[in-house]
């Protein structure tokens, strides 16, 4: 069935360093890969997404890369700041009959140490 | 603010009871997705409605049901509640057609005692 694996489960970096979170998906028909940031007790917030016709996308300090052959995608955060500390979720979806349900990874808790 | 609203924000109830969670999608969005977030299961897709019709079903228990009304708001009904149903319940809404971006509401925290 559909599955998304996410690693690592926790990540601690020094402020200013880079952070990388990796996800692997099982459904080769998946074509949309969003990343969400969730602070404690709050809603998941979309921070960046990528579609399967693109290999890389960047938005300021955040970038996502996609390798369709290997079925994995990664989130890269550069020049990390304490406010980047949160839980990050990757997800994948495949086109359906007006359905784009998201299959989420298990989350990565990122801690940025000042 | 994503434009998606959910009520109530918190709900505390007892085992065996029934509750209803409400979600209003962003203006213009036809799809509503429900997700459950528990500590040990992460974010799990439950069910999706599109313009009033059920379109996809995930790992939703038979004790749970949902519907979407003509004004496009949706309700998730949870019955015969168990301790393990305690979780955050999020709804997300998606644009009209052909796209997949979803925006999440603030969630309802359900505590079953």
């Amino acid at each position: 069935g559909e599955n998304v694996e996410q690693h690592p489960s926790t990540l601690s970096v020094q402020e200013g360093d880079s952070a990388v979170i990796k996800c692997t998906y099982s459904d080769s028909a998946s074509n949309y890969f969003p990343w969400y940031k969730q602070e404690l007790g709050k809603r998941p917030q979309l921070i960046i997404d990528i579609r399967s016709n693109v290999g890389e996308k960047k938005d300021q300090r955040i970038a996502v890369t996609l390798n369709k052959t290997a079925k994995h995608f990664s989130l890269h955060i550069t020049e990390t700041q304490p406010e980047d500390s949160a839980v990050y979720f990757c997800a994948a979806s495949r086109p359906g009959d007006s359905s784009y349900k998201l299959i989420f990874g298990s989350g990565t808790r990122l801690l940025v140490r000042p | 603010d994503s434009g998606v609203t959910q009520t109530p924000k918190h709900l505390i109830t007892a085992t065996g009871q029934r509750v209803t969670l409400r979600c209003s999608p962003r203006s213009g969005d036809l799809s509503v997705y429900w997700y459950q977030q528990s500590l040990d299961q992460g974010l799990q897709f439950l069910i999706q409605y599109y313009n009033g019709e059920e379109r996809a079903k995930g790992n939703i228990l038979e004790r749970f049901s949902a519907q979407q009304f003509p004004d496009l708001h949706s309700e998730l009904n949870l019955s015969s509640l168990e301790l393990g149903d305690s979780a955050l319940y999020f709804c997300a809404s998606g644009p009209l057609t052909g796209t997949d971006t979803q925006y999440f509401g603030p969630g309802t925290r359900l505590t079953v005692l």
Side-chain angles (χ1 to χ4, degrees):
Chain A
E2 304 152 323
N3 187 46
V4 176
E5 293 189 359
Q6 183 172 347
H7 300 281
S9 56
T10 60
L11 181 58
S12 180
V13 299
Q14 194 71 38
E15 181 178 359
D17 287 350
S18 295
V20 180
I21 303 170
K22 299 181 179 181
C23 289
T24 303
Y25 59 98
S26 62
D27 187 350
S28 56
S30 297
N31 67 349
Y32 174 64
F33 308 92
W35 286 88
Y36 286 85
K37 174 184 180 181
Q38 187 179 30
E39 297 175 353
L40 189 62
K42 297 194 175 179
R43 64 183 177 92
Q45 186 174 3
L46 180 67
I47 56 172
I48 196 168
D49 57 13
I50 192 168
R51 290 177 172 81
S52 59
N53 58 345
V54 175
E56 184 174 357
K57 184 177 179 180
K58 191 173 181 180
D59 183 4
Q60 299 183 337
R61 297 185 298 108
I62 294 174
V64 57
T65 58
L66 171 65
N67 183 328
K68 284 187 63 180
T69 303
K71 293 192 287 186
H72 67 70
F73 56 112
S74 300
L75 177 71
H76 304 253
I77 306 174
T78 58
E79 301 172 20
T80 54
Q81 301 167 3
E83 51 264 38
D84 294 329
S85 296
V87 179
Y88 291 80
F89 291 94
C90 64
S93 80
R94 60 177 295 173
D97 182 19
S98 299
S99 176
Y100 301 93
K101 64 179 182 181
L102 294 174
I103 305 301
F104 282 90
S106 54
T108 296
R109 184 174 301 278
L110 174 64
L111 173 64
V112 180
R113 306 186 306 274
Chain B
D1 185 1
S2 65
V4 180
T5 61
Q6 288 186 249
T7 57
K9 194 171 183 178
H10 301 280
L11 202 47
I12 301 175
T13 189
T15 54
Q17 295 298 304
R18 172 189 169 96
V19 297
T20 297
L21 313 183
R22 182 187 169 107
C23 169
S24 292
R26 297 188 316 159
S27 177
D29 284 356
L30 294 180
S31 276
V32 171
Y33 300 80
W34 286 97
Y35 294 89
Q36 179 192 54
Q37 186 175 36
S38 55
L39 281 174
D40 58 345
Q41 293 292 323
L43 275 159
Q44 299 281 322
F45 168 72
L46 294 178
I47 196 165
Q48 180 219 352
Y49 276 80
Y50 176 79
N51 203 21
E53 295 184 359
E54 181 185 307
R55 282 305 174 109
K57 223 168 185 176
N59 297 325
I60 187 167
L61 299 171
E62 286 190 11
R63 299 183 286 110
F64 296 0
S65 65
Q67 54 185 326
Q68 186 177 29
F69 295 86
D71 67 352
L72 300 178
H73 91 270
S74 178
E75 294 181 355
L76 180 66
N77 301 296
L78 316 176
S79 63
S80 303
L81 285 168
E82 302 176 358
L83 295 178
D85 297 328
S86 296
L88 266 169
Y89 291 85
F90 290 101
C91 75
S93 76
L96 285 171
T97 57
T99 62
D100 32 36
T101 307
Q102 294 179 31
Y103 297 94
F104 280 72
T108 293
R109 180 174 293 280
L110 173 66
T111 302
V112 182
L113 301 175

